[in-house]
Amino acid sequence: ANMHAALGLSVFAITAIEAVYSSKGEEWLDELLPYISSNMDLVIHRLTTSIPGIKIHKPQATYLLWIDYRDTGLKEEEVMDRLLTIGKLALESGTKYGEQGRGFLRMNVACARSIVADGINRFIKAFKN
């Protein structure tokens, strides 16, 4: 377990790696994909209905959501500050991936539903204040 921590792997990543290399890889993936998809649906529904100006396009081949906050009128610095100080939530800013990412946040939804739900609540809290 300490070796995994040293590599910076989450429990989710470790489980995924173990499953892929076992005979259950395909079956596990068949169960995982709809779970991640429903996590995405939950985030998209809650954030777009709770916060005016938030838009999210559901991607097809990834577990990463790009959250478009350009229509909220908030600048990146303010969004990142609100998320960290009010929501206690750390997301990656789009500008980490270049200037074309300005106005976007990246959210990983490949985790337990309870963690996704908590992240949604923290996100909404940060934008409501």
Side-chain angles (χ1 to χ4, degrees):
N2 290 344
M3 182 184 74
H4 296 333
L7 294 173
L9 295 176
S10 69
V11 172
F12 189 87
I14 294 161
T15 306
I17 292 164
E18 288 172 351
V20 167
Y21 284 103
S22 76
S23 60
K24 296 187 181 112
E26 203 168 308
E27 179 186 322
W28 180 85
L29 192 59
D30 288 344
E31 291 173 15
L32 177 67
L33 295 178
Y35 188 87
I36 291 174
S37 180
S38 66
N39 276 354
M40 285 189 175
D41 292 339
L42 181 64
V43 171
I44 293 167
H45 173 73
R46 291 277 322 276
L47 295 187
T48 58
T49 58
S50 300
I51 305 167
I54 293 286
K55 292 194 286 276
I56 308 170
H57 171 76
K58 187 175 180 179
Q60 292 307 309
T62 181
Y63 51 87
L64 299 166
L65 281 179
W66 285 92
I67 299 168
D68 179 350
Y69 64 86
R70 292 174 296 179
D71 290 346
T72 65
L74 299 173
K75 300 271 182 252
E76 181 176 286
E77 296 72 24
E78 188 178 357
V79 166
M80 298 308 288
D81 183 60
R82 282 177 177 222
L83 288 170
L84 278 173
T85 59
I86 300 167
K88 307 284 187 240
L89 184 65
L91 297 180
E92 290 186 320
S93 66
T95 55
K96 180 177 177 180
Y97 303 93
E99 191 53 38
Q100 70 276 13
R102 187 170 297 283
F104 292 85
L105 295 162
R106 197 174 86 151
M107 179 185 274
N108 181 336
V109 297
C111 53
R113 179 80 28 83
S114 58
I115 294 172
V116 171
D118 182 54
I120 291 168
N121 291 336
R122 289 167 182 264
F123 193 103
I124 292 169
K125 181 181 177 189
F127 272 80
K128 288 290 187 192
N129 265 323

